[in-house]
Amino acid sequence: MGCLFALAVGRGAWAAGVGTPAEPLRLLYQERPPYTALRPDGTVEGLLATPLNQALQRAGVAHRWEIMPSQRHMLLVQTGDAPVCGVGWFRNPEREALGRFSRPIYRDLPMAGLVRAEVELADGASMAKTLEARRLTLLTKEGFSYGAQIDRWLQTLPVKRVSTGNEPPQLVRMLLAQRAEWMIVAPEEGQLLMAQHPPGSLRLVQFADVGPGLERHLYCNHSVPAELLRRVDEALPRPSPAR
């Protein structure tokens, strides 16, 4: 499937004082409201895209948005030679060993559960105990990190789950088809996913033992100059979650 491009050009080359003029920096993203969404005029906006566009403009970095599946992001960042950055990735030690992260662009609200309406899982439940009990089947996306705390639970507890490479909208359809009972989501995204389906068919569950929301970053390969990333970091505002 071909890639869809949206161009956003800063005031000059990648960053003032860094090398010679070059092609715009490739920003790899998914169509994933409310974080990133392509507008009819060809620009990309959202909780991640809007502050990132503003920071790159302030830093004088020419950039190009390129829509691409998440698995391809990871491949190009961790093994590719051309300078690229994936947009909106969570930080963990395994990823840090193979690429470099920007300062946070945005901090999510605490992770929640998206469940079918009839599933017996109440607000204030323990996520760890829910996973350990194996009463409900969890649906997860392959290669995704849910943050250090939840990733550790998924690795160490006897979790009953189904894992797939599908994107969140397809995961929700799998929930409604009773392939599993619940999935882990940031509430910002969960609310939009719920709005795409019949009212009352899904609900969000908050957990008592889940820590603060996770920070989303640019995840860049080592072909992106460290000085460029430093300038972007300086231009990024301190993130705060949507309310």
Side-chain angles (χ1 to χ4, degrees), residues 15-45:
V18 180
T20 57
E23 288 294 315
L25 178 63
R26 295 169 64 195
L27 300 179
L28 312 180
Y29 80 105
Q30 298 171 270
E31 180 74 7
R32 194 172 176 186
Y35 301 108
T36 47
L38 183 66
R39 296 182 54 181
D41 65 2
T43 60
V44 182
E45 66 177 7

Side-chain angles (χ1 to χ4, degrees), residues 39-192:
R39 296 182 54 181
D41 65 2
T43 60
V44 182
E45 66 177 7
L47 296 175
L48 287 169
T50 299
L52 181 56
N53 277 329
Q54 293 168 350
L56 291 169
Q57 175 109 16
R58 286 192 292 270
V61 177
H63 54 288
R64 180 179 71 205
W65 291 88
E66 183 175 338
I67 195 167
M68 187 177 290
S70 59
Q71 295 94 331
R72 184 78 175 149
H73 291 203
M74 191 71 75
L75 181 66
L76 290 179
V77 169
Q78 295 185 344
T79 66
D81 294 326
V84 296
C85 294
V87 176
W89 287 85
F90 297 148
R91 194 168 194 156
N92 65 32
E94 293 76 19
R95 292 172 182 174
E96 286 186 292
L98 297 171
R100 53 169 60 111
F101 284 87
S102 72
R103 279 181 51 187
I105 306 168
Y106 178 79
R107 181 190 285 276
D108 285 349
L109 295 169
M111 285 289 190
L114 185 63
V115 305
R116 292 197 313 279
E118 75 277 10
V119 170
E120 294 183 2
L121 184 59
D123 271 331
S126 162
M127 182 184 286
K129 290 181 179 177
T130 300
L131 292 168
E132 191 170 24
R134 304 186 79 247
R135 181 175 61 86
L136 303 175
T137 301
L138 173 69
L139 185 58
T140 59
K141 178 172 170 53
E142 293 171 356
F144 256 37
S145 170
Y146 297 94
Q149 178 190 40
I150 297 175
D151 286 352
R152 184 170 61 252
W153 289 339
L154 294 177
Q155 291 165 4
T156 60
L157 297 176
V159 181
K160 182 181 179 183
R161 66 166 158 167
V162 173
S163 192
T164 173
N166 289 337
E167 302 299 339
Q170 287 74 44
L171 297 183
V172 175
R173 288 198 282 273
M174 292 176 68
L175 282 186
L176 293 173
Q178 302 189 2
R179 297 279 301 278
E181 279 73 54
W182 67 296
M183 59 187 277
I184 300 167
V185 295
E188 299 92 324
E189 184 174 28
Q191 292 287 356
L192 278 184

